[in-house]
């Protein structure tokens, strides 16, 4: 397979296969979360119904099912937003204060969205069945009460997503693949597809073919992980797939750049020139 391309020998596109697998994975994740939420809300519904039958106090079957179902459905549709928020405020010991503050705000936003979407759905369902849904004037008080319940749901969702992501990263590490961020989620990327990697604050930008992905990893850790896959550290901010290098040319300020198969140019620092030259098999005259 040529460096940095997604073409296979049979002429098909690896990125298309990967995108299809990603879509199927997301469908499976959504279905699994729906099943988990459905199970817990069903058990809670049966418990509340049993209390009503025993004590004679509680919602009738229609109101109970309608209100429980709208609550569960709203939580399910909000999970992608929570996952995105967790990407912005990942659970880690670094900058713990900002992470906690971010998730306090996130839980408040989650509870507010859950409350108003749930109320809106209930109005629609009650109207469809010829019933009237009463929206209490004390909405702020109700919102505070809902927050006390929703913060627990928010924490549970955050915990499930965090554990699942770490599981995926662990599997990807064992398979020597990278779990990179895309515009719609995550993708498993084989190192042979990568042309170069550039440091970008707390992330690295991974260039594969004509695409750019984000990976939450330090360049140093990624260097040690990819060293036996033919990747070279050419600069404090760059890793390059040696199979993607097509030449060397003069750079800015008397420096040099490595020219990659896509035409992209990566700086070659003076301190790393000799080891990179040896690794690429370039002689003194070429460099």
């Amino acid at each position: 397979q040529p460096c940095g391309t997604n073409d296979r020998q049979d002429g098909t596109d690896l990125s298309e296969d990967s995108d299809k697998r990603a879509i199927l994975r997301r469908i499976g994740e959504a279905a699994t979360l729906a099943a988990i939420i459905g199970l817990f809300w069903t058990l809670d519904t049966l418990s509340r119904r049993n209390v009503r039958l025993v004590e004679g106090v509680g919602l009738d079957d229609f109101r109970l099912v309608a209100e429980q179902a709208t609550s569960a459905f709203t939580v399910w549709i909000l999970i992608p937003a929570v996952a995105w928020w967790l990407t912005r405020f990942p659970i880690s010991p670094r900058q713990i204060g900002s992470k906690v503050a971010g998730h306090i705000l996130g839980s408040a936003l989650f509870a507010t969205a859950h409350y108003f979407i749930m109320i809106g759905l209930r109005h629609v369902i009650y109207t469809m069945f010829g019933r009237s849904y009463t929206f209490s004037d004390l909405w702020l008080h109700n919102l505070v009460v809902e927050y006390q319940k929703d913060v627990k749901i928010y924490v549970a969702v955050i915990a499930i997503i965090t554990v699942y992501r770490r599981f995926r990263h662990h599997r990807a590490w064992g398979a020597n693949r990278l779990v990179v961020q895309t515009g719609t989620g995550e993708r498993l990327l084989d190192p042979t597809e990568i042309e170069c990697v550039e440091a970008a604050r707390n992330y690295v930008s991974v260039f594969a073919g004509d695409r750019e992905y984000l990976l939450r990893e330090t360049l140093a850790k990624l260097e040690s992980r990819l060293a036996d896959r033919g990747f070279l550290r050419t600069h404090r901010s760059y890793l390059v797939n040696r199979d993607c290098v097509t030449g060397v040319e003069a750079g800015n300020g008397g420096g040099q750049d490595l020219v990659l198969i896509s035409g992209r140019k990566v700086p070659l620092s003076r301190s790393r020139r000799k080891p990179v030259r040896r690794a690429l098999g370039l002689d003194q005259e070429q460099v």
Side-chain angles (χ1 to χ4, degrees), residues 94 198-205 215-219:
R94 292 181 295 179
E198 180 182 4
R201 295 186 179 180
N202 296 328
Y203 292 83
V204 293
S205 293
L215 173 64
R216 192 172 186 84
E217 184 67 272
T218 65
L219 197 64

Side-chain angles (χ1 to χ4, degrees), residues 14-241:
L14 283 173
S15 64
E16 291 182 1
D17 288 349
S18 182
D19 290 342
K20 290 177 181 178
R21 288 194 297 269
I23 292 173
L24 291 174
R25 175 178 57 80
R26 285 195 288 271
I27 292 174
E29 291 169 351
T32 300
L33 287 170
I36 293 173
I37 292 171
L39 174 62
F40 280 105
W41 262 258
T42 298
L43 293 175
D44 186 49
T45 301
L46 293 175
S47 175
R48 295 188 181 201
R49 185 174 185 275
N50 186 62
V51 169
R52 189 197 70 202
L53 293 176
V54 173
E55 300 181 1
V57 178
L59 301 176
D60 61 66
D61 286 347
F62 174 83
R63 293 179 59 194
L64 180 61
V65 172
E67 297 190 9
Q68 288 287 89
T70 53
S71 175
F73 179 75
T74 304
V75 169
W76 182 66
I77 63 174
L78 287 176
I79 286 177
V82 176
W84 176 82
W85 194 262
L86 181 59
T87 301
R88 297 292 302 273
F89 298 94
I91 305 299
S92 69
R94 292 181 295 179
Q95 299 177 324
I96 189 66
S98 63
K99 301 296 193 299
V100 171
H103 284 297
I104 290 175
L105 174 61
S107 64
L109 294 173
F110 172 82
T112 302
H114 180 238
Y115 180 67
F116 285 106
I117 294 174
M118 182 175 64
I119 294 300
L121 290 174
R122 289 174 183 175
H123 274 293
V124 172
I125 292 174
Y126 273 63
T127 300
M128 288 174 59
F129 285 87
R131 297 196 177 203
S132 176
Y133 182 77
T134 303
F135 181 73
S136 173
D137 293 334
L138 300 175
W139 65 270
L140 183 58
H141 171 74
N142 290 340
L143 182 57
V144 172
V145 172
E146 286 294 323
Y147 177 76
Q148 296 175 19
K149 297 184 292 184
D150 286 349
V151 68
K152 300 174 184 177
I153 298 173
Y154 178 84
V155 170
V157 172
I158 288 291
I160 291 171
I161 295 173
T162 298
V163 170
Y164 176 68
R165 284 181 175 176
R166 290 182 178 176
F167 170 73
R168 287 199 73 225
H169 279 262
H170 178 73
R171 288 192 62 188
W173 186 280
N176 207 4
R177 291 184 173 185
L178 304 182
V179 181
V180 294
Q181 300 293 324
T182 68
T184 57
E186 295 179 334
R187 175 187 168 187
L188 285 176
L189 194 65
D190 192 282
T192 58
E193 300 178 60
I194 300 171
E195 186 176 64
C196 66
V197 181
E198 180 182 4
R201 295 186 179 180
N202 296 328
Y203 292 83
V204 293
S205 293
V206 179
F207 297 91
D210 59 352
R211 301 188 184 186
E212 178 181 356
Y213 305 96
L214 286 179
L215 173 64
R216 192 172 186 84
E217 184 67 272
T218 65
L219 197 64
K221 288 184 179 179
L222 200 57
E223 179 185 13
S224 63
R225 184 177 173 187
L226 295 176
D228 61 349
R229 300 298 299 269
F231 282 77
L232 307 172
R233 185 74 168 265
T234 64
H235 184 274
R236 61 186 176 86
S237 299
Y238 288 90
L239 282 175
V240 169
N241 185 341

Side-chain angles (χ1 to χ4, degrees), residues 195-199 207 219 232-241 245 247-260 263-277 280 282 287:
E195 186 176 64
C196 66
V197 181
E198 180 182 4
F207 297 91
L219 197 64
L232 307 172
R233 185 74 168 265
T234 64
H235 184 274
R236 61 186 176 86
S237 299
Y238 288 90
L239 282 175
V240 169
N241 185 341
V245 179
V248 182
E249 65 178 36
N252 296 327
Q256 295 183 340
D257 293 335
L258 295 179
V259 182
L260 306 183
R264 187 179 289 111
K265 296 178 182 179
V266 173
L268 176 59
S269 66
R270 293 183 182 274
S271 62
R272 301 178 186 275
R273 190 171 298 175
K274 288 184 178 180
V276 170
R277 180 188 66 211
L280 294 175
L282 299 174
V287 180

